[in-house]
């Protein structure tokens, strides 16, 4: 372990464990200890670990072709793009390798939109507590001073408003402004699993404001997308369409991929030479993405996400919902947050000691993002296990 530590840049505070294999929702360390994975590598392992269909696809694809340049047509890329556009009712896809890259593409498109309207310094409305990535543009769009501190000067061109507050945006819209887009997570992940109080009217309201002002509506679905909330994309619960949607994390179940998905109006803004990515959309990642989406569909994993999400939350509510230390339990499908009345990062290590993988975000929100293949008995176990840990922590 120390050798690894000594040769890596110190960007992560790592937990004292190293996994050597996985199976479904379970991970195993070198000593054979078995851990229940309630985090999926932060919403990445959609199909859990070692899924036979995914392993088969990756193995077969690796034998055929791993990478060719985007100078050529890539069939797997076209197939995945076709699937994503048909599921999202959007028009075309730019593939990259991560969430921040997908968001970078969306920011560049918003600026192109502004310039097409002769706005020299276009601005994008972004949210407090938002998280969009760690590159300079996405970090500047992110609403966390903790993430930004030390990296100034940040990029200009972002106006910040509170999340879930249409009036704040309306106020900007009524004044003279250079806004060309709104960038928002339908459900904030890193910010604390924040579900808008009235999800539907918030998203419908955002769409209306964008239509009225000719702004692009960009949904960052990097964390909440790809079936996790019970629909392919979280915004589909509200029946609205964005101009741009960004995806990554769970799209290929662990193989790095990102996607910036756009509608017909937006696709007209770009032409060859304006944007690109060497690795983006390589055959291996796209084949893995296609299998992930097909398995979600074939095995009914979106309805499973709804069922198991409800089960976990109902057990949590019964077990700790009335505890003074629990401020709220929020969720949509298998994106679950338990907000405590005090900071609780230490719970991550306590849970690890109990062979349970969870996360804490925004200081006091326990976050669960289990694989979509989680069974009823595993979901029950996860919730019951967590209750014991939280109870002990709050009563200490
Ligand atoms: N957008 C959202 C909503 C995220 O949750 C994240 C990562 O947590 C990102 C963007 C950045 O994704 P990546 O780490 O793949 O760059």
């Amino acid at each position: 372990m120390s050798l690894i530590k000594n040769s890596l840049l110190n960007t992560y505070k790592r937990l004292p464990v190293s996994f050597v294999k996985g199976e479904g929702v379970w991970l195993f360390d070198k000593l054979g200890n078995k851990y229940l994975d309630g985090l999926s590598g932060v919403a990445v392992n959609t199909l859990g670990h070692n899924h036979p269909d995914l392993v088969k696809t990756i193995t077969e694809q690796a034998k055929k072709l791993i990478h060719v340049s985007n100078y050529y047509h890539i069939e797997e890329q076209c197939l995945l793009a076709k699937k994503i556009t048909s599921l999202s009712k959007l028009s075309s896809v730019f593939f990259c390798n991560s969430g921040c890259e997908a968001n970078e593409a969306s920011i560049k498109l918003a600026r192109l939109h502004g310039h097409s309207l002769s706005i020299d310094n276009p601005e994008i409305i972004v949210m407090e507590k938002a998280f969009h990535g760690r590159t300079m543009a996405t970090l500047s769009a992110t609403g966390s001073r903790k993430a930004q501190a030390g990296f100034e000067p940040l990029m200009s061109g972002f106006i910040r408003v509170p999340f879930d507050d249409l009036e704040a945006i309306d106020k900007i819209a009524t004044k003279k402004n250079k806004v060309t887009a709104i960038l928002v997570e339908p459900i904030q992940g890193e910010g604390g699993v924040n579900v808008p109080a009235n999800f539907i009217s918030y998203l419908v309201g955002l769409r209306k404001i964008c239509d009225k002002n000719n702004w692009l509506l960009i949904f960052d679905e990097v964390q909440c997308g790809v079936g996790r909330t019970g629909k392919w994309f979280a915004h589909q619960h509200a029946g609205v369409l964005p101009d741009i949607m960004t995806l990554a994390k769970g799209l290929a179940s662990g193989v790095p991929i990102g996607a910036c998905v756009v509608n017909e109006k937006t696709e007209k803004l770009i032409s060859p030479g304006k944007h690109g990515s060497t690795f983006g959309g390589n055959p291996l990642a796209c084949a893995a993405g296609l299998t992930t989406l097909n398995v979600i569909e074939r095995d009914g994993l979106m309805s499973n996400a709804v069922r198991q999400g409800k089960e976990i939350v109902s057990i949590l509510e019964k077990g700790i919902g009335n505890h003074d230390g629990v401020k709220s339990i929020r969720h949509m499908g298998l994106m679950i947050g338990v907000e405590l009345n005090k900071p609780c990062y230490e719970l991550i290590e306590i849970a690890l000691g109990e062979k349970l993988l969870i996360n804490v975000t925004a200081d006091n929100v326990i976050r669960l993002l289990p694989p979509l293949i989680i069974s009823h008995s595993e979901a029950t176990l996860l919730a019951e296990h967590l209750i014991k840990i939280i109870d002990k922590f709050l009563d200490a």
Side-chain angles (χ1 to χ4, degrees), residues 38 47 61 187 279 318 342:
L47 306 182
Q61 187 59 48
I187 301 168
F279 290 118
K318 272 186 219 132
K342 60 176 179 181

Side-chain angles (χ1 to χ4, degrees), residues 87 226-233 236-237 293 295-309 333-334 372-373:
L87 298 176
V226 196
R228 178 155 295 281
T229 66
K231 296 236 185 237
W232 285 110
F233 311 111
Q236 292 176 331
H237 290 281
L293 298 181
V295 173
I296 292 176
E297 202 162 41
R298 185 195 70 195
D299 295 352
L301 296 186
M302 286 182 283
S303 42
N304 191 55
V306 173
R307 268 198 313 278
Q308 307 316 337
L334 283 174
L372 305 194
I373 47 117

Side-chain angles (χ1 to χ4, degrees), residues 27-145:
L27 280 166
F28 299 84
D29 69 13
K30 285 177 185 162
L31 302 172
N33 293 311
K34 189 176 169 186
Y35 299 75
L36 179 54
D37 186 358
L39 189 61
S40 316
V42 196
V44 169
N45 303 101
T46 308
L47 306 182
H49 304 278
N50 198 15
H51 192 285
D53 293 273
L54 187 67
V55 171
K56 185 165 179 274
T57 293
I58 295 171
T59 313
E60 284 176 2
Q61 187 59 48
K63 283 185 196 159
K64 286 195 285 185
L65 202 58
I66 294 176
H67 174 85
V68 288
S69 165
N70 280 304
Y71 288 156
Y72 313 108
H73 288 279
I74 299 172
E75 196 184 328
E76 294 76 12
Q77 206 178 103
C78 297
L79 291 172
L80 182 58
K82 193 165 175 230
K83 184 83 186 172
I84 293 174
T85 52
S86 101
L87 298 176
S88 64
K89 311 272 181 294
L90 295 174
S91 187
S92 53
V93 187
F94 167 75
F95 285 110
C96 47
N97 312 285
S98 63
C100 62
E101 250 190 285
N103 284 330
E104 283 278 342
S106 78
I107 291 166
K108 287 176 79 174
L109 284 163
R111 288 190 167 190
L112 281 178
H113 176 56
H115 289 290
S116 77
L117 301 171
S118 304
I119 299 171
D120 286 339
N121 293 300
E123 292 182 318
I124 301 172
I125 293 180
V126 290
M127 306 299 147
E128 285 171 9
K129 298 188 185 165
F131 188 86
H132 298 297
R134 304 272 189 176
T135 58
M136 280 316 299
T138 57
L139 184 66
S140 307
T142 286
S144 156
R145 273 308 296 153

Side-chain angles (χ1 to χ4, degrees), residues 58-300:
I58 295 171
T59 313
E60 284 176 2
Q61 187 59 48
K63 283 185 196 159
K64 286 195 285 185
L65 202 58
I66 294 176
H67 174 85
V68 288
S69 165
N70 280 304
Y71 288 156
Y72 313 108
H73 288 279
I74 299 172
E75 196 184 328
E76 294 76 12
Q77 206 178 103
C78 297
L79 291 172
L80 182 58
K82 193 165 175 230
K83 184 83 186 172
I84 293 174
T85 52
S86 101
L87 298 176
S88 64
K89 311 272 181 294
L90 295 174
S91 187
S92 53
V93 187
F94 167 75
F95 285 110
C96 47
N97 312 285
S98 63
C100 62
E101 250 190 285
N103 284 330
E104 283 278 342
S106 78
I107 291 166
K108 287 176 79 174
L109 284 163
R111 288 190 167 190
L112 281 178
H113 176 56
H115 289 290
S116 77
L117 301 171
S118 304
I119 299 171
D120 286 339
N121 293 300
E123 292 182 318
I124 301 172
I125 293 180
V126 290
M127 306 299 147
E128 285 171 9
K129 298 188 185 165
F131 188 86
H132 298 297
R134 304 272 189 176
T135 58
M136 280 316 299
T138 57
L139 184 66
S140 307
T142 286
S144 156
R145 273 308 296 153
K146 203 164 134 191
Q148 292 171 338
F151 297 107
E152 297 83 0
L154 296 171
M155 251 183 60
S156 58
F158 297 103
I159 305 178
R160 198 165 305 284
V161 297
F163 183 61
D164 198 9
D165 185 346
L166 291 172
E167 261 177 46
I169 303 177
D170 266 333
K171 268 189 204 149
I172 296 169
T174 50
K175 290 190 202 132
K176 196 168 155 32
N177 64 71
K178 298 176 203 152
V179 173
T180 56
I182 298 176
L183 169 59
V184 56
E185 298 153 87
I187 301 168
Q188 290 187 329
E190 303 303 305
V193 191
N194 302 319
V195 184
N198 192 333
F199 184 82
I200 296 179
S201 63
Y202 182 54
L203 267 59
V204 169
L206 290 173
R207 183 65 272 175
K208 280 191 185 147
I209 297 174
C210 285
D211 286 342
K212 194 168 160 205
N213 295 283
N214 192 16
W215 298 345
L216 298 179
L217 178 57
I218 308 168
F219 285 146
D220 177 345
E221 294 244 7
V222 167
Q223 191 161 144
C224 62
V226 196
R228 178 155 295 281
T229 66
K231 296 236 185 237
W232 285 110
F233 311 111
H235 69 263
Q236 292 176 331
H237 290 281
V240 295
L241 277 177
D243 297 285
I244 305 177
M245 165 178 71
T246 56
L247 301 172
K249 287 192 181 283
L251 181 55
S253 230
V255 181
I257 192 167
C260 179
V261 191
V262 310
N263 64 4
E264 272 181 33
K265 166 180 165 175
T266 312
E267 73 188 0
K268 293 194 180 83
L269 294 166
I270 204 123
S271 53
K274 285 275 186 202
H275 195 56
S277 162
T278 297
F279 290 118
N282 76 38
L284 188 74
C286 289
L290 197 58
T291 293
T292 300
L293 298 181
N294 287 338
V295 173
I296 292 176
E297 202 162 41
R298 185 195 70 195
D299 295 352

